[in-house]
């Protein structure tokens, strides 16, 4: 099936800051599920594996300050690769927002989505070259500014 | 490929960041005060309820505002606010059409936001996705590459199979070599999505796919690998389609292309900005390794595996984990490469002593590297996890490879975590260590290792370990009683705890998957390595008792497969001669009797309900074989006398009646059916409920009663038939004894009156009857016949009453005739 099922950014209070589902999950189930996953992440210590079995797939997570970056992936996937991809994505956000913080993400939700759309399509990691992603975003921002 | 000047690359990134930062801060000035207020209050919300309240207000406000003809800029913002509402848990379907309509607007920003919102709100089966087709058709032809990219991104998410034909014709031109890489890369992914939904649609475009693979732009090439992964994954394509594709795309050429690309990548031939933490395009390396692995797994291709050894060896060298500076990503790539090597060698299907020298050398190297994974003195368990995974795969090639890792395995076997728990020092280091060892993820992985190491010698120890794990998993959740209690506790609380219930059921669902996995593993190992039939029976019963107390409806499908196998085994025998079969049945009967006696013995102790499937199995087995067993040996003794209860031994017939009256059990009718002769028919595929030939589901006559009654009656039916079998066998035995014919050890119903087939087998039986017992005989026969023909119209309590009386009759008959 799909390599990546969904990507979430949830803070440690359980509030969702970004959610992108590549396989359809019923709306009513999303919020409780997101909160449950964060609770599980919180209950784990830093030395434990950064991934866990969840239902019949896996959840990989990484914590940056108050935010959990969570990617749910198929059992066949390389967990460490997904973990490192999270870091690659965070680095990209960091470059784009110049030291990204939770508020940046909240005030620029659509941009955060567009950056992710450059890197993951159809649940597959397609682009990890940060310079390319940023130059594409720059083109977009340019065009939007001019068009306005 | 691209230019390699490092200085230029660095400043490109730096320049980009500066420009972007200045723009981002100015963006905030473009937001309305309302929006800023919304985000602030969400950010400052102290509790889930407060957040919910804010979002609900927002959604209600938006519902009013959304359709008013306001300026376009406002509309854009409303849609983003709608995205917030949905993300935070408030469904806003009234806004979907606004999002879709925005894709028809003129400005780029509006379209982009419309596309984004549509892809977040909708799914590929939603009714609105058809409305987007117009936008796609316009935007795919646009001269603005950003617009084309936006459309392609949304298409990849929301396209459905029916809409492919018009769209694919517009996407194909975007794959032409002279298009921009940014567009090509997304077009390739759209093509991938089309292929997933409707594999044959790719056939006219294979040339374009080949060009994409050989594209100079690495991103385009990377995207194309996704399609190849789909093609070579098993079961994605029908064999005909696969053959059609491989006729045009030669497998051998593809493999050498992939190897060639991988070679270039690990030799740093890509532009520097594809590097990540010093490794060149690591995810691309992983994709290629996985693809090579996949291709070789296809049976027709397994001969090609040899070609890959060299490149994989190279990969391991370049990403040497034994070096001091090895990065996480290098571990990651090595992991994948070792997996590939092991899997390629495994695909050859030869025994270890026939491996080539090269293969043995490779494997030795792999084991050495695995040691590093497992022993990495790091604060994280991630590497250990991967190392154990690799070990469990390598062991299948040669069990001897586990020898250097004995202590690790023993730890897993003895669940040493428990021992460490007792040393709860205040020392934080120790606490962290304890917590690290209590890592559930790691534990499960080590159990997989145990599974792959199992052989005839250690199977008992390993099964015990797995069973104790199953016990723990059942206690934690996925258990009927836990579930019920949880719900009762939360019933008195308000909304917030309603979410709690949902969470609990989520956890139970989690446990359910883990339990299932354990059960599958235990059953597989038991079947393969069981040292003795009685051990096998014990294990199966243990699994049922521990693992099937949940009433989740999925379980009924799960339980029956191996239970019906067991029933078949009892019925058909082991194929090792009569003695062995008798022994097996004897053991089974005594085991069931023991467990049922224990269950119905203790007064006042609320025992946990026995699993339904167990009761069904026990009832059937007792009905079939109890009399046969008891008749031979006179009494039932287990081999192991220690297990004999000192308390009151309940007669099997009594036990059965107690079960009938108990009324707690449901019957699984998917794989077993009682046919006209009151014999069980096993149906492996599962029967539909409409099957009229069986009697397990008695539909029409009881349609006015509720389901619980129905199933209760179904259990009663099974018990009744078991009892009838026992009674009739007893009766026939007594009759034969009285008639002074040869005392036979195995009285079967053919010799006596066959109740189920009417008078077919009379054979002058009546003439055999001794005059003395004649009346008793006939009375009992009549009683049994009454039961058989009238049970459908009787209630359970009547049936059980009849059975009691019948029993008394038979007992008095047997005592009078002895």
């Amino acid at each position: 099936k799909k390599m990546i099922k969904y990507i979430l950014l949830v803070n440690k209070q359980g509030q969702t800051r970004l959610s992108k589902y590549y396989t359809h999950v019923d709306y009513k189930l999303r919020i409780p599920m997101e909160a449950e996953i964060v609770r599980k992440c919180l209950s784990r210590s830093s030395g434990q594996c950064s991934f866990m079995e969840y239902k019949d797939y896996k959840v990989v997570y990484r914590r940056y300050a108050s935010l959990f970056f969570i990617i749910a992936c198929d059992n066949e996937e390389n967990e460490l690769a997904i973990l490192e991809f999270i870091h690659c994505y965070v680095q990209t956000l960091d470059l784009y927002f110049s030291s990204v913080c939770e508020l940046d993400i909240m005030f620029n939700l659509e941009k955060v989505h567009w950056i992710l759309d450059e890197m993951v399509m159809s649940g597959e990691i397609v682009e990890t070259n940060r310079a390319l992603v940023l130059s594409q975003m720059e083109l977009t921002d340019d065009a939007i500014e001019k068009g306005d | 490929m691209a230019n390699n000047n490092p200085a230029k690359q660095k400043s490109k990134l730096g320049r980009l960041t500066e420009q972007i930062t200045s723009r981002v801060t100015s963006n905030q000035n473009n937001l309305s005060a309302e929006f800023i207020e919304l985000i602030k209050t969400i950010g400052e919300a102290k509790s889930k309820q407060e957040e919910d309240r804010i979002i609900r207000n927002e959604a209600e406000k938006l519902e009013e505002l959304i359709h008013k003809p306001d300026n376009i800029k406002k509309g854009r913002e409303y849609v983003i606010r709608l995205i917030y509402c949905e993300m935070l848990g408030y469904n806003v379907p009234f806004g979907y059409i606004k999002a879709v309509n925005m894709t028809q607007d003129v400005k780029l920003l509006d379209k982009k936001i419309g596309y984004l919102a549509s892809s977040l709100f909708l799914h590929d089966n939603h009714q609105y996705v058809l409305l987007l087709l117009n936008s796609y058709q316009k935007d795919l032809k646009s001269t603005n590459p950003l617009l084309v990219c936006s459309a392609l991104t949304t298409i990849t998410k929301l396209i459905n199979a029916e809409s492919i034909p018009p769209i694919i014709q517009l996407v194909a031109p975007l794959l032409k070599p002279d298009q921009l890489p940014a567009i090509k890369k997304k077009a390739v992914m759209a093509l991938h999505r089309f292929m997933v939904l409707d594999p044959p649609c790719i056939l006219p475009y294979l040339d374009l796919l080949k060009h994409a693979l050989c594209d100079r732009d690495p991103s385009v090439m990377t995207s194309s690998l996704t399609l190849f992964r789909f093609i070579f994954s098993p079961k994605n394509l029908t064999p005909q389609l696969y053959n059609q594709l491989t006729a045009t795309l030669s497998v051998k050429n593809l493999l050498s292309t992939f190897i060639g690309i991988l070679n270039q990548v690990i030799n740093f031939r890509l532009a520097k900005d594809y590097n990540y933490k010093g490794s060149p395009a690591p995810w691309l390396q992983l994709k290629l390794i996985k693809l090579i692995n996949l291709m070789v797994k296809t049976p027709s291709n397994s001969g090609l595996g040899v070609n890959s050894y060299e490149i994989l060896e190279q990969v391991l060298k370049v990403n040497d984990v034994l070096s001091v500076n090895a990065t996480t990503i290098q571990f990651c790539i090595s992991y994948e490469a070792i997996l590939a090597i092991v899997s390629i060698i495994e695909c050859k299907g030869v025994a270890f002593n026939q491996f080539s020298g090269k293969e043995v050398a490779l494997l030795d190297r792999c084991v050495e590297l695995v040691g590093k994974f497992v022993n990495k003195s790091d604060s994280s368990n991630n590497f250990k996890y991967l190392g154990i995974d690799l070990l469990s795969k390598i062991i299948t090639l040669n069990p001897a490879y586990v020898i250097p890792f004995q202590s690790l395995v023993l730890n897993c076997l003895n669940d040493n975590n428990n021992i460490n728990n007792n040393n709860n020092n205040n020392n934080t280091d120790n606490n962290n260590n304890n917590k690290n060892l209590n890592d559930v993820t790691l534990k499960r992985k080590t159990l997989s290792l145990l599974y792959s190491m199992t052989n005839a010698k250690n199977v008992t120890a390993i099964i015990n370990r797995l069973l104790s794990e199953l016990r723990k998993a059942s206690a934690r959740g996925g258990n009927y009683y836990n579930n019920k209690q949880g719900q009762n506790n939360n019933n008195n609380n308000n909304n917030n705890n309603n979410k709690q219930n949902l969470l609990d059921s989520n956890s139970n669902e989690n446990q359910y998957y883990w339990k299932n996995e354990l059960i599958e593993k235990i059953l597989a190992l038991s079947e393969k390595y069981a040292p003795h039939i009685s051990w096998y029976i014990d294990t199966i019963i243990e699994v049922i008792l521990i693992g099937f107390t949940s009433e989740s409806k999925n379980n009924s499908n799960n339980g029956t497969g191996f239970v019906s196998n067991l029933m078949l085994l009892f019925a058909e025998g082991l194929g090792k001669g009569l003695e062995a079969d008798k022994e097996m049945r004897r053991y089974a009967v005594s085991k069931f009797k023991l467990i049922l006696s224990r269950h119905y013995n203790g007064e006042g102790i609320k025992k946990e309900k026995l699993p339904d499937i167990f009761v069904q199995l026990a009832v059937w087995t007792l009905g079939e074989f109890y009399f046969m067993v008891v008749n031979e040996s006179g009494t039932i003794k287990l081999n192991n006398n220690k297990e004999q209860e000192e308390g009151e031994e309940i007669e099997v017939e009594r036990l059965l009646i107690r079960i009938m009256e108990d009324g707690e059990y449901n019957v699984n009718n998917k794989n077993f059916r009682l046919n006209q002769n009151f014999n069980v028919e096993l149906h492996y595929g599962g029967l539909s409920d409409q099957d009229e030939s069986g009697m397990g589901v008695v539909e029409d006559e009881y349609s006015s009663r509720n389901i619980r009654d129905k199933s209760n009656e179904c259990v009663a039916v099974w018990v009744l038939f078991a009892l009838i079998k026992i009674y009739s066998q007893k009766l026939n035995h007594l009759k034969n004894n009285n008639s002074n014919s040869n005392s036979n050890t195995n009285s079967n119903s053919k010799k006596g009156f066959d109740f189920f087939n009417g008078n077919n087998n009379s054979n002058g039986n009546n003439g055999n009857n001794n005059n003395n017992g004649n009346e008793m005989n006939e009375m009992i026969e009549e009683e049994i016949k009454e039961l058989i023909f009238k049970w459908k119209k009787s209630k359970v309590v009547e049936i059980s009453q009849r059975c009691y009386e019948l029993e008394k009759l038979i007992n008095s008959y047997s005592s009078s005739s002895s």
Side-chain angles (χ1 to χ4, degrees):
Chain A
K1 283 279 146 139
K2 290 219 165 121
M3 174 180 182
I4 291 181
K5 294 184 188 290
Y6 52 85
I7 298 183
L8 306 170
L9 264 67
V10 189
N11 72 12
K12 60 182 188 252
Q13 275 92 29
Q15 298 169 312
T16 307
R17 294 295 174 235
L18 177 95
S19 72
K20 203 156 184 93
Y21 284 82
Y22 296 98
T23 51
H24 185 65
V25 170
D26 191 68
Y27 293 114
K28 292 191 268 302
L29 298 176
R30 286 186 190 186
I31 298 294
M33 183 176 77
E34 291 164 16
E36 187 192 4
I37 292 177
V38 161
R39 270 184 318 135
K40 281 189 187 275
C41 294
L42 280 169
S43 72
R44 295 167 73 88
S45 77
S46 59
Q48 294 182 334
C49 293
S50 316
F51 26 86
M52 50 192 176
E53 273 98 353
Y54 186 75
K55 298 201 183 157
D56 62 344
Y57 50 86
K58 280 201 267 257
V59 165
V60 183
Y61 67 94
R62 197 156 177 169
R63 183 171 175 175
Y64 293 87
S66 59
L67 270 183
F68 282 98
F69 283 70
I70 294 165
I71 296 189
C73 65
D74 191 56
N75 271 323
E76 303 296 317
E77 288 310 317
N78 185 328
E79 299 91 339
L80 217 49
I82 304 272
L83 193 61
E84 288 295 300
F85 172 73
I86 292 179
H87 192 66
C88 184
Y89 178 52
V90 171
Q91 279 183 338
T92 314
L93 289 177
D94 216 31
L95 286 168
Y96 183 79
F97 290 106
S98 202
S99 229
V100 66
C101 67
E102 198 173 330
L103 273 182
D104 287 324
I105 297 176
M106 293 178 75
F107 275 108
N108 298 281
L109 188 58
E110 71 278 10
K111 301 276 172 61
V112 177
H113 270 284
W114 288 331
I115 293 176
L116 192 53
D117 281 342
E118 288 296 314
M119 301 174 86
V120 180
M121 275 181 86
S122 223
E124 301 275 336
I125 298 176
V126 292
E127 184 64 79
T128 53
N129 182 334
R130 286 149 292 164
L132 273 183
V133 174
L134 289 177
S135 60
Q136 193 71 3
M137 286 307 293
E138 192 197 15
L139 284 174
T140 309
D141 290 338
D142 257 339
I144 290 174
E145 211 172 79
K146 288 192 189 125
D148 245 307
Chain B
M1 298 209 183
N3 80 66
N4 275 340
N5 190 337
K8 208 166 177 188
Q9 298 302 323
K10 263 201 186 130
S11 66
K12 179 174 165 198
L13 256 180
R15 188 172 40 85
L16 278 171
T17 356
E18 272 171 22
Q19 285 169 311
I20 290 169
T21 316
S22 60
R23 191 169 290 129
V24 163
T25 39
S26 70
N27 185 28
Q28 265 168 252
N29 303 335
N30 291 340
L31 300 173
S32 76
E34 273 180 343
F35 193 11
I36 297 179
E37 184 63 29
L38 170 69
I39 299 193
K40 276 216 177 110
T41 45
I42 293 177
E44 289 164 5
K46 296 278 185 323
S47 71
K48 189 74 182 150
Q49 286 120 316
E50 196 182 330
E51 192 185 90
D52 286 345
R53 206 179 10 94
I54 298 170
I55 286 298
R56 206 180 329 126
N57 284 342
E58 179 68 19
E60 283 164 10
K61 222 190 299 172
L62 286 170
E63 192 165 4
E64 275 186 41
L65 294 171
I66 199 80
H67 295 298
K68 285 204 185 119
D70 218 336
N71 65 35
I72 298 206
K73 184 170 174 220
K74 272 287 187 183
R76 199 185 298 154
E77 198 185 273
Y78 291 157
V79 170
I80 298 184
R81 282 152 75 176
L82 283 170
I83 295 179
Y84 266 100
C85 293
E86 282 240 337
M87 184 171 78
L88 293 168
Y90 198 94
N91 208 202
V92 287
F94 56 82
Y96 293 176
I97 194 71
K98 174 86 183 156
V100 169
N101 286 339
M102 269 182 81
T103 63
Q104 294 278 349
D105 284 348
V106 172
K107 290 224 171 87
L108 173 68
L109 181 57
D110 298 322
K111 279 180 180 275
K112 276 188 78 85
I113 291 181
Y115 275 130
L116 175 66
S118 304
S119 70
L120 290 173
F121 292 154
L122 309 175
H123 53 84
D124 55 5
N125 278 330
H126 198 280
Q127 41 174 334
Y128 285 171
V129 293
L130 291 172
L131 301 174
L132 288 166
L133 284 178
N134 267 337
S135 312
Y136 296 155
Q137 284 169 323
K138 214 164 95 189
D139 293 328
L140 286 176
K141 291 191 252 181
S142 162
T143 49
N144 184 346
L146 294 170
L147 210 41
V148 178
C149 287
S150 282
L152 284 170
T153 308
T154 311
I155 288 173
T156 313
K157 170 105 198 289
L158 293 179
I159 197 81
N160 54 25
E162 297 84 47
S163 321
I164 293 180
I167 303 296
I168 196 173
Q169 291 181 15
L170 294 171
V171 170
L174 300 173
L175 286 162
K176 291 227 177 72
D178 51 353
Q179 290 279 357
L180 284 174
I183 293 183
K184 274 192 283 188
K185 153 178 111 180
K186 297 211 160 79
V188 169
M189 288 313 291
L191 202 61
H192 169 258
R193 184 72 192 143
F194 298 154
M195 183 169 67
V196 168
L197 288 171
D198 177 30
C201 76
I202 189 91
L203 282 169
Y205 305 109
L206 290 178
D207 273 342
L208 289 173
L209 180 56
K210 271 200 273 195
H211 285 145
L213 178 60
C214 301
D215 198 295
R216 275 182 29 188
D217 186 288
S219 304
V220 178
M221 179 264 297
T222 308
S223 300
S224 74
L225 295 178
T226 320
L227 281 110
F228 290 108
R229 182 174 172 177
F230 182 79
I231 292 175
F232 289 106
S233 290
K235 296 190 188 145
N236 281 342
L237 303 177
T238 61
Q240 303 97 304
L241 190 54
Y242 179 80
N243 289 334
Q244 275 180 292
L245 286 174
T246 48
T248 323
L249 314 158
S250 141
V251 171
K252 200 153 171 230
N253 287 345
L254 276 178
L255 187 59
S256 46
T257 311
F258 297 146
I259 293 179
I261 299 176
L262 185 53
N263 205 3
Q264 292 202 338
V265 174
I266 60 179
N267 286 315
F268 291 94
R269 299 283 176 73
L270 290 181
K272 277 274 192 299
D273 49 6
Y274 280 97
N275 285 0
Y276 172 81
K277 290 191 179 167
S279 283
W283 291 274
L284 175 54
Q285 288 188 46
L286 290 171
K287 270 195 156 78
L288 288 164
I289 297 173
K290 271 212 180 89
L291 201 41
I292 293 172
N293 189 354
L294 258 182
M295 284 184 76
V296 174
K297 277 202 182 118
T298 325
S300 50
N301 298 338
S302 56
L304 296 171
V306 202
N307 305 351
S308 337
Y309 290 153
E310 201 177 310
I311 185 70
L312 290 172
E313 204 179 4
Q314 270 282 79
V315 168
L316 286 179
K317 259 202 202 106
V318 168
N319 294 295
D320 189 5
V321 298
L322 292 177
S323 114
V324 170
N325 301 325
T327 59
T328 310
I329 200 73
Q330 286 179 315
F331 270 91
C332 182
I333 298 174
S334 296
Y335 167 79
E336 203 66 50
I338 297 177
L339 268 186
I341 292 174
V342 173
S343 139
I344 290 175
I345 297 180
E346 193 184 13
C347 273
K348 289 176 64 178
V350 299
F352 178 68
N353 50 19
Q354 289 176 26
F355 290 170
S356 73
K358 174 95 181 160
E359 283 160 351
V360 175
L362 260 180
L363 280 177
D364 285 340
R365 175 78 180 150
C366 289
V367 174
E368 201 185 338
L369 297 172
V370 167
K372 182 71 180 172
F373 274 88
V374 169
N375 295 322
K376 187 159 173 14
S377 52
D378 195 83
S379 53
S380 144
N381 277 345
N382 291 342
F383 302 103
K384 208 166 182 179
Y385 177 92
L386 293 180
I388 293 178
D389 188 49
L390 289 173
L391 204 53
S392 57
K393 305 250 162 50
I394 291 183
I395 282 178
T396 56
L397 293 180
N398 178 7
Y401 281 133
V402 82
I403 293 172
F405 303 99
Q406 292 282 30
S407 58
L408 172 71
V409 170
L410 277 175
N411 269 344
C412 310
L413 202 51
N414 296 328
D415 197 9
N416 275 340
N417 300 341
N418 285 333
I419 302 177
N420 284 322
N421 255 337
N422 293 332
N423 307 337
N424 247 339
N425 302 333
N426 295 330
N427 191 341
T428 34
D429 258 354
N430 242 347
N431 272 343
N432 273 341
N433 264 339
N434 288 345
K435 261 203 153 178
N436 284 359
L437 291 168
N438 272 332
D439 189 338
V440 171
T441 315
L442 193 58
K443 245 210 217 178
R444 290 192 189 178
K445 218 13 134 177
T446 55
L447 287 174
S448 302
L449 176 62
L450 285 183
Y451 175 75
S452 51
M453 298 178 34
T454 312
N455 55 36
K457 286 191 205 147
N458 57 25
V459 65
T460 319
I462 291 184
I463 292 276
N464 280 341
R465 178 77 183 86
L466 292 175
L467 281 172
S468 83
E469 209 43 56
L470 184 60
R471 246 172 243 123
K472 270 189 246 167
S474 299
R476 236 180 270 131
N479 176 299
Y480 175 66
Y481 278 112
N482 278 357
N483 217 350
K484 271 266 156 122
Q485 278 164 18
Q487 283 175 13
N488 279 336
N489 283 339
N490 286 330
N491 263 342
N492 305 330
N493 298 336
N494 58 17
N495 266 347
N496 205 20
N497 282 351
N498 275 345
K499 287 189 186 120
Q500 201 74 35
N501 279 342
L502 216 53
L503 291 177
D504 281 345
S505 66
N506 265 338
S507 298
N508 277 340
E509 202 184 334
N510 247 337
Q511 285 300 113
Y512 164 74
Y513 283 104
W514 174 226
K515 266 175 67 174
N516 263 9
E517 204 184 310
L518 278 173
I519 290 175
E520 265 174 39
K521 286 191 156 78
I522 294 173
L523 291 178
L525 290 178
S526 315
E527 229 177 276
K528 206 164 165 195
Y529 298 111
H532 194 265
I533 184 67
S534 53
W535 179 90
Y536 181 69
I537 294 176
D538 281 342
T539 309
I540 300 267
I541 291 180
E542 196 62 15
V543 168
I544 299 178
L545 288 178
I546 302 173
F548 283 87
T549 48
S550 164
E551 277 197 6
S552 131
K553 62 177 177 260
N554 284 341
N555 262 343
S556 56
N557 279 334
N558 232 335
T560 56
F562 67 96
V563 172
S564 48
N565 280 341
L566 195 60
M567 287 164 90
L568 207 60
L569 192 61
F570 289 161
E572 292 181 352
L574 294 163
K576 289 186 197 159
L578 211 51
E579 268 312 307
D581 292 347
K582 280 194 223 170
E583 183 62 30
M584 168 178 70
R585 289 164 187 156
R586 209 180 50 75
Y587 187 81
V589 163
S590 43
K591 187 89 182 172
F592 285 131
K593 180 169 188 262
L594 186 68
I595 296 175
L596 287 173
S597 295
R598 276 196 191 136
H599 185 84
Y600 283 104
N601 232 348
E603 297 294 345
I605 311 165
K606 171 73 170 156
K607 291 234 169 84
E608 216 172 83
K609 180 185 144 173
L610 289 172
D612 300 330
I613 198 95
F614 175 80
V615 170
Q616 210 172 339
L617 174 65
V619 163
W620 177 80
T621 311
L622 289 172
E624 289 290 306
F625 302 113
Y626 169 67
F627 184 72
M628 177 191 315
V629 160
V630 114
N631 196 36
E632 291 162 30
S633 51
T635 52
I636 300 187
K637 267 209 188 79
L638 287 176
N639 262 335
N640 182 357
N641 283 330
K642 286 184 232 151
E643 292 195 44
Q644 190 123 28
E645 281 290 285
E646 270 153 18
E648 179 199 333
E649 265 216 21
I650 309 182
E651 275 302 308
V652 161
E653 293 92 322
R654 274 299 157 87
L655 279 174
L656 289 173
I657 299 179
R658 288 281 294 274
I659 292 174
M660 192 197 295
E661 290 172 336
D662 208 334
E664 278 203 328
Y665 303 105
N666 295 316
V667 143
N668 171 293
N669 285 313
K670 287 241 159 17
N671 283 28
F672 324 109
R673 201 48 74 92
L674 292 175
N675 65 14
Q676 306 287 357
N677 292 334
F678 304 158
N679 287 319
V680 171
E681 283 176 356
L682 303 176
H683 297 261
Y684 297 98
L687 292 169
S688 70
D689 287 326
Q690 268 79 47
D691 194 332
E692 290 297 317
S693 62
M695 284 194 271
V697 179
V698 282
E699 296 273 3
D700 301 329
E701 293 173 40
Y702 300 105
S703 54
S704 58
R705 307 188 200 186
N706 63 38
I707 295 181
R708 191 141 175 77
D709 283 347
K710 257 199 246 182
S711 27
N712 181 29
E713 264 139 19
C714 291
V715 170
V717 167
W718 280 66
V719 172
L720 177 63
F721 299 152
L723 281 170
I724 287 179
K725 282 189 187 135
I726 294 176
Y727 290 150
S728 56
Q729 284 174 322
K730 264 192 177 169
L731 181 63
N732 288 328
H733 179 67
L734 289 168
K735 273 190 342 192
N736 285 329
N737 273 348
N738 281 346
S739 67
N740 291 333
S741 60
N742 305 338
S743 65
N744 44 3
T745 45
N746 255 337
S747 77
N748 49 38
S749 42
K750 284 192 198 138
K751 288 219 166 151
F753 181 77
D754 191 336
F755 293 99
F756 306 138
N757 283 329
N759 294 330
N760 298 350
N761 285 339
S762 331
N763 278 350
N765 270 347
N766 290 332
N768 279 342
N769 283 341
N770 192 321
N771 278 336
N772 283 345
N774 218 5
E775 283 170 14
M776 265 297 221
N777 244 341
E778 286 188 3
M779 209 162 48
I780 296 177
E781 276 183 26
E782 280 310 307
E783 268 300 307
I784 295 183
K785 275 196 236 171
E786 279 274 304
L787 269 175
I788 293 176
F789 297 124
K790 291 216 178 135
W791 68 268
K792 276 195 185 175
K793 302 218 173 68
S794 318
K795 293 205 173 130
V796 172
V797 74
E798 290 169 8
I799 299 181
S800 67
Q801 199 54 37
R802 281 204 133 110
C803 288
Y804 273 128
E805 276 155 31
L806 185 55
E807 198 186 317
K808 275 192 223 146
L809 269 180
I810 292 187
N811 283 340
S812 65
Y813 182 25
S814 72
S815 55
S816 74
S817 60
S818 56

